[in-house]
């Protein structure tokens, strides 16, 4: 093991990623002190359901995009942490409320909850030169008493989530649309669409789920998307699928196939933007077309390697990946391994971008894992010599994602059972 001094660490956010970071940092011998800042009054981030939309009591944008009926789109068998699985239950796909309870259980078990500074909003992170290397000044505000403070750290873990800043596509005529326009970030219950003609734009996991739910109350739903693989789900009669929207005109929608229709609501299920409003420009992190760079392995700030970002990749086994990323990064802090030089990390990132582009990924998909997740997990565990994730995680993820496309209406009735989680990617499935 290489030499490492005692360090002070700041964790921004106490969703699943921040709680996981804290769980490992709090027991890491080389860590002298950990501050965890969470702007909300409770942990859980995405999994905290609130009826509120817009702004909270302190004038901050509502963070969570959770809707009331949500059940996970991945089975509980791969929703837990490697060292803390989701407890046994009859179902595999759990309601958001149960996921929140699970996160609370995890945080309590590892004495994280009591260490979180709730109602503390981080508003500025700025690097500065220290006597023996770079340090960070982190400024935050206690929302309850309005007091602001700046503290100094050796390391910063950015865990602020990336499903909270809506991406609004550039659709000609959207601003002038004569009906209602809303984003899925503000969606809570379907009743707001009762009797209406609703255009759902986007068919990611949320778009598809919500479109289906809205068919129960809406007069009709048009699901506009450009999925390469058409979902094989048999949708209700009041849902039709259409290609991309070319333009809007009054209440009229013109589609790319030259067809047209009239709707009352344009409902954007178009995803979210990575957003780090508290990072000073000297952190050297840019976000363009949803590509956060330059990051080594989607995780380490290449120009300031004492800053890491937990949870940037998507289409992953999220909590397990957070755990692996945290273990990887802590092993670089405690000297188990050394991160490559700046030049090597840049070269690695450029090579990865080239490779992704050659396989047809767009810039916007810079952090999409999906089929790449197994090799991503392996590269983290091999480089840092930490325990890998069992291959069964990836195979269940793939199976569940396919079933989502095949039968959106009932795939959540499946129950998974892991048979062997070490040597084989093996699981058993039954439908209930
Ligand atoms: P978050 O949960 O967003 O937590 C970030 C935390 O940081 C929040 O508590 C926030 O208040 C805090 N914060 C932000 N900025 C600041 C600041 N400046 N100062 C202090 N605190 C700050 N994933 C799955 O694996 N399975 C699913 O079924 C699934 N369903 C989803 C459904 C919806 C509707 C959405 C939106 C996401 C879903 N996800 C799902 C993805 C989910 O977001 C991740 O699994 C995971 O919970 C993200 O955790 P996180 O900690 O990275 O971010």
């Amino acid at each position: 093991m290489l030499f490492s001094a005692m360090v002070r660490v700041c964790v921004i956010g106490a969703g699943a990623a921040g709680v996981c970071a804290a769980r490992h940092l709090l027991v890491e011998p080389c860590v002298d002190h950990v501050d965890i800042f969470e702007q909300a009054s409770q942990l859980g981030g995405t999994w905290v359901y609130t009826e509120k939309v817009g702004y909270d009591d302190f004038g901050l944008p509502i963070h969570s995009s959770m809707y009331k009926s949500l059940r996970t789109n991945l089975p509980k068998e791969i929703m837990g942490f490697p060292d803390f699985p989701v407890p046994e239950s009859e179902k595999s796909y759990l309601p958001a409320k149960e996921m929140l309870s699970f996160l609370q259980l995890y945080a309590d078990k590892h004495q994280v909850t009591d260490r979180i500074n709730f109602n503390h909003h981080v508003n500025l992170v700025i690097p500065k030169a220290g006597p023996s290397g770079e340090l960070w000044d982190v400024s935050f505000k206690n929302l309850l008493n309005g007091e602001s403070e700046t503290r100094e750290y050796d390391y910063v873990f950015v865990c602020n989530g990336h499903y909270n800043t809506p991406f609004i596509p550039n659709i000609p005529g959207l601003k002038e649309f004569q009906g209602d326009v809303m984003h899925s970030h503000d969606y809570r219950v379907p009743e707001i669409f009762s009797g209406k003609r609703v255009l759902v734009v986007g068919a990611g996991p949320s778009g598809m789920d919500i479109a289906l739910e809205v068919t129960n109350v809406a007069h009709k739903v048009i699901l506009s998307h450009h999925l390469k693989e058409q979902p094989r789900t048999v949708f209700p009669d009041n849902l039709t699928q259409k290609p991309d929207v070319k333009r809007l005109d009054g209440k009229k929608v013109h589609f790319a196939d030259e067809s047209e229709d009239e709707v009352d609501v344009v409902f954007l299920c178009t995803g979210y933007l990575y957003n780090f409003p508290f990072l000073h420009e000297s952190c050297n992190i840019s976000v363009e077309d949803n590509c956060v760079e330059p990051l080594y392995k989607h995780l380490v700030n290449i120009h300031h390697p004492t800053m890491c970002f937990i949870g940037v990749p998507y289409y992953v086994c999220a909590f397990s990946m957070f755990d692996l990323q945290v273990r990887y990064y802590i092993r670089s802090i405690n000297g188990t391994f050394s991160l490559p030089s700046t030049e090597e990390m840049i070269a690695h990132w450029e090579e990865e971008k080239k490779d992704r582009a050659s396989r047809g990924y767009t810039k916007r998909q810079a952090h999409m894992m999906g089929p790449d997740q197994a090799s991503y997990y392996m590269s983290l565990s091999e480089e840092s010599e930490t325990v890998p994730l069992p291959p069964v995680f990836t195979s269940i993820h793939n199976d569940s994602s396919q079933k989502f496309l095949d039968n959106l209406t009932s795939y959540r009735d499946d129950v998974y059972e892991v048979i062997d989680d070490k040597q084989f990617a093996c699981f058993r499935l039954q439908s209930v």
Side-chain angles (χ1 to χ4, degrees):
M1 190 169 286
L2 306 172
F3 168 79
S4 80
M6 297 292 281
V7 296
R8 299 154 300 169
V9 185
C10 172
V11 177
I12 303 171
V19 170
C20 175
R23 172 256 179 278
H24 288 284
L25 286 163
L26 287 170
V27 293
E28 173 54 44
C30 82
V31 173
D32 179 52
H33 182 79
V34 187
D35 278 336
I36 310 146
F37 296 117
E38 168 52 58
Q39 65 192 14
S41 57
Q42 61 172 308
L43 62 83
T46 292
W47 301 96
V48 177
Y49 174 75
T50 169
E51 281 176 4
K52 278 194 182 154
V53 294
Y55 294 88
D56 67 14
D57 296 343
F58 303 103
L60 294 174
I62 293 288
H63 181 86
S64 180
S65 307
M66 190 50 61
Y67 45 94
K68 198 169 188 178
S69 68
L70 183 127
R71 280 171 71 191
T72 58
N73 54 29
L74 293 174
K76 69 171 189 311
E77 286 71 19
I78 55 167
M79 281 295 298
F81 296 95
D83 59 351
F84 197 81
V86 177
E88 267 315 307
S89 74
E90 283 166 20
K91 297 161 288 177
S92 272
Y93 295 85
L94 304 182
K97 212 174 173 180
E98 289 182 33
M99 285 310 301
L100 180 61
S101 304
F102 165 72
L103 281 175
Q104 288 163 339
L105 204 65
Y106 173 73
D108 287 348
K109 155 122 201 288
H110 295 290
Q111 283 92 47
V112 172
T113 314
D114 293 343
R115 296 292 307 270
I116 300 171
N117 296 289
F118 290 109
N119 298 298
H120 280 63
H121 172 67
V122 172
N123 45 39
L124 187 64
V125 177
I126 188 161
K128 66 176 184 185
S132 55
E134 193 165 68
L135 296 173
W136 296 98
D137 268 343
V138 175
S139 304
F140 56 89
K141 182 175 178 182
N142 179 334
L143 299 169
L144 297 180
N145 63 18
E147 281 174 14
S148 293
E149 195 184 324
T150 299
R151 281 190 202 158
E152 187 182 274
Y153 298 95
D154 299 285
Y155 286 87
V156 172
F157 280 58
V158 178
C159 305
N160 67 323
H162 53 90
Y163 294 99
N164 48 74
T165 306
F167 168 65
I168 310 293
N170 189 9
I171 301 174
L174 182 64
K175 281 197 189 107
E176 299 80 26
F177 179 68
Q178 283 173 12
D180 296 326
V181 178
M182 78 176 267
H183 189 277
S184 56
H185 175 59
D186 295 328
Y187 177 73
R188 300 293 182 262
V189 291
E191 285 71 24
I192 49 166
F193 297 128
S194 290
K196 300 211 163 149
R197 300 166 298 174
V198 184
L199 169 69
V200 176
V201 182
S206 293
M208 297 252 261
D209 253 350
I210 297 174
L212 198 61
E213 178 166 273
V214 170
T215 59
N216 293 322
V217 297
H219 174 61
K220 72 172 180 185
V221 173
I222 302 170
L223 178 60
S224 158
H225 64 81
H226 49 248
L227 290 180
K228 284 194 191 117
E229 198 183 339
Q230 286 286 322
R232 281 174 290 279
T233 295
V234 181
F235 287 109
D237 288 345
N238 64 342
L239 185 148
T240 43
Q241 295 185 62
K242 287 279 183 184
D244 281 342
V245 176
K246 210 161 73 177
R247 67 188 167 88
L248 298 164
D249 177 13
K251 280 191 162 185
K252 257 210 181 120
V253 193
H254 298 267
F255 296 98
D257 62 359
E258 304 303 332
S259 62
E260 54 180 61
D261 213 325
E262 204 174 270
V263 295
D264 304 304
V265 186
V266 174
F267 185 22
L268 302 170
C269 295
T270 41
Y272 297 88
L273 296 169
Y274 292 92
N275 191 13
F276 309 101
F278 44 82
L279 294 187
H280 187 265
E281 61 181 25
S282 57
C283 297
N284 296 105
I285 288 296
S286 76
V287 185
E288 200 183 284
D289 203 9
N290 244 14
C291 170
V292 186
E293 62 180 340
L295 296 182
Y296 179 60
K297 299 203 168 172
H298 306 264
L299 172 63
V300 182
N301 180 342
I302 294 180
H303 292 304
H304 303 274
T306 51
M307 168 180 279
C308 73
F309 295 73
I310 304 301
V312 169
Y314 61 96
Y315 293 165
V316 290
C317 301
F319 296 6
S320 293
M321 182 197 71
F322 300 164
D323 189 85
L324 180 58
Q325 289 184 319
V326 168
R327 282 186 282 125
Y328 168 96
Y329 190 67
I330 290 181
R331 288 165 85 82
S332 79
I333 300 178
N334 70 21
T336 304
F337 78 105
S338 295
L339 291 170
S341 67
T342 308
E343 293 71 27
E344 286 166 332
M345 289 194 280
I346 290 280
H348 183 276
W349 172 227
E350 292 301 328
E351 195 50 46
E352 180 167 352
K353 280 198 290 189
K354 235 190 275 167
D355 172 60
R356 284 177 163 261
S358 73
R359 290 186 289 130
Y361 287 54
T362 61
K363 184 167 187 181
R364 206 175 146 67
Q365 295 167 322
H367 306 295
M368 187 180 86
M369 286 300 157
D372 291 355
Q373 63 178 311
S375 58
Y376 176 64
Y377 302 152
M378 197 50 77
S379 84
L380 289 179
S381 57
E382 279 180 358
E383 188 183 358
S384 62
E385 292 176 24
T386 190
V387 182
L389 296 185
V392 71
F393 280 37
T394 316
S395 53
I396 291 183
H397 191 284
N398 292 342
D399 187 77
S400 171
S401 305
Q402 189 55 50
K403 292 208 159 61
F404 171 85
L405 285 173
D406 289 347
N407 197 349
L408 184 60
T409 45
S410 67
Y411 81 104
R412 288 188 176 91
D413 296 339
D414 286 345
V415 176
Y416 284 84
E417 184 193 351
V418 175
I419 297 173
D420 186 312
D421 61 356
K422 297 204 171 60
Q423 301 302 321
F424 309 106
C426 198
F427 58 87
R428 194 182 290 139
L429 193 65
Q430 63 182 100
S431 285
V432 289

